[in-house]
Amino acid sequence: MEYDEQHLEALAVSLNDPKVREEYKAPYDGHKCSFVPRFLGGFIVMAGNIVFGDTPSYLKFRAVEVIARVPYHSWDSAAFTILTTCYSNAAKALELGHTSRFARMAQDNETMHVVVISELSAQEEQANVIIHTVIPMLFAFFYYWMSYVLYLLKPRYSMELNYLFESHAFEQYSLFLEQREHDLKRKPVDSEYLRWYGRHAKSHYELFELIRNDELIHRNRSIREIEEGHLR
Ligand SMILES: [Fe+2]
Ligand SMILES: [Fe+2]
């Protein structure tokens, strides 16, 4: 079962192998997004870089994760809304069911990211309430409704916007692992939430490797939703 938690966890672990990761990543590298998601995605990434800086950091990732988790809840909610009127259309219900299953697994996964990264950032960096708490909440609010309305009007655009945001997250985690490898490998992880989720990571490095892999899964899956769900 593709959306089984154990299957997803095994997939994330398998992507630690650079060869496996490259093979998994390559087919969706060149996806050509439409103008609207490119414009919105470019704006969000640019605004994020201005507010949180170009360089990856614990607090930048905390903000990214506050924002990155909302489209999944938004799609689940939008799909639920559409079914209030489309329940007699089984084909449509199946299409929406695809999205909802993906969205439910991904939102739990993203929630784990934000909770655990928040725990780590409290030990590592000093947060500014306006920049690191209030602004990400505002971003998340607007991103939620942007994803919701786009999903109702043009689901393909909403998936492509997510593809771009997840691509950015994947690149930032890859850069962080490269820049801070030595330091991250020395730091142990001890999180009750992570254990409850069912993930095992001994060091910050191992944790961030798996989170990077999760973002790649989300990125690819967004485009597969378009292909398999035949989204407009
Ligand atoms: Fe994430
Ligand atoms: Fe993600």
Side-chain angles (χ1 to χ4, degrees):
M1 170 62 184
E2 190 172 358
Y3 292 113
D4 176 78
E5 280 175 26
Q6 283 174 343
H7 169 90
L8 277 175
E9 197 57 25
L11 176 60
V13 171
S14 75
L15 294 174
N16 278 338
D17 181 328
K19 193 166 171 287
V20 174
R21 191 164 65 248
E22 194 44 45
E23 278 170 9
Y24 179 80
K25 180 175 172 289
Y28 296 96
D29 271 351
H31 180 82
K32 296 266 180 294
C33 295
S34 313
F35 174 76
V36 171
R38 272 193 288 123
F39 176 78
L40 294 172
F43 175 76
I44 293 167
V45 169
M46 184 190 71
N49 284 341
I50 290 170
V51 178
F52 309 114
D54 286 331
T55 316
S57 66
Y58 287 86
L59 284 170
K60 183 177 184 184
F61 288 134
R62 191 180 80 171
V64 163
E65 295 298 343
V66 168
I67 300 159
R69 65 193 274 272
V70 299
Y72 301 108
H73 190 59
S74 175
W75 293 340
D76 197 18
S77 181
F80 193 89
T81 304
I82 295 168
L83 266 172
T84 309
T85 55
C86 295
Y87 50 81
S88 54
N89 181 345
K92 184 74 182 166
L94 193 59
E95 176 196 311
L96 295 168
H98 262 281
T99 301
S100 285
R101 274 199 182 156
F102 165 43
R104 285 173 201 159
M105 291 300 295
Q107 65 184 284
D108 286 351
N109 181 256
E110 297 287 16
T111 298
M112 177 270 287
H113 292 178
V114 74
V115 171
V116 180
I117 288 177
S118 179
E119 289 182 302
L120 301 187
S121 67
Q123 300 156 10
E124 299 290 331
E125 294 168 0
Q126 185 71 42
N128 173 295
V129 177
I130 302 293
I131 293 174
H132 300 108
T133 304
V134 177
I135 292 179
M137 273 170 58
L138 293 173
F139 262 97
F141 177 80
F142 287 108
Y143 196 41
Y144 178 91
W145 288 109
M146 200 187 289
S147 300
Y148 187 94
V149 171
L150 274 184
Y151 189 83
L152 291 185
L153 299 176
K154 190 91 177 162
R156 181 191 188 98
Y157 284 2
S158 207
M159 295 292 161
E160 287 183 341
L161 177 59
N162 194 56
Y163 168 85
L164 294 170
F165 198 90
E166 294 286 8
S167 300
H168 176 65
F170 171 78
E171 284 158 17
Q172 286 282 294
Y173 283 117
S174 302
L175 185 62
F176 191 60
L177 287 161
E178 212 179 288
Q179 289 178 340
R180 311 266 288 259
E181 181 180 352
H182 183 67
D183 191 35
L184 294 173
K185 281 182 173 169
R186 280 193 304 111
K187 293 176 176 161
V189 172
D190 181 21
S191 165
E192 184 65 33
Y193 194 91
L194 194 64
R195 281 190 287 276
W196 171 80
Y197 180 83
R199 173 160 289 183
H200 308 284
K202 287 199 279 294
S203 64
H204 286 210
Y205 191 86
E206 283 187 15
L207 177 74
F208 281 111
E209 269 190 311
L210 289 169
I211 293 176
R212 170 203 60 195
N213 300 348
D214 290 335
E215 310 308 9
L216 185 59
I217 294 169
H218 300 157
R219 185 201 78 145
N220 281 13
R221 188 65 236 183
S222 300
I223 302 308
R224 282 180 55 200
E225 279 305 306
I226 296 173
E227 293 170 352
E228 292 171 11
H230 308 291
L231 299 182
R232 289 168 289 118

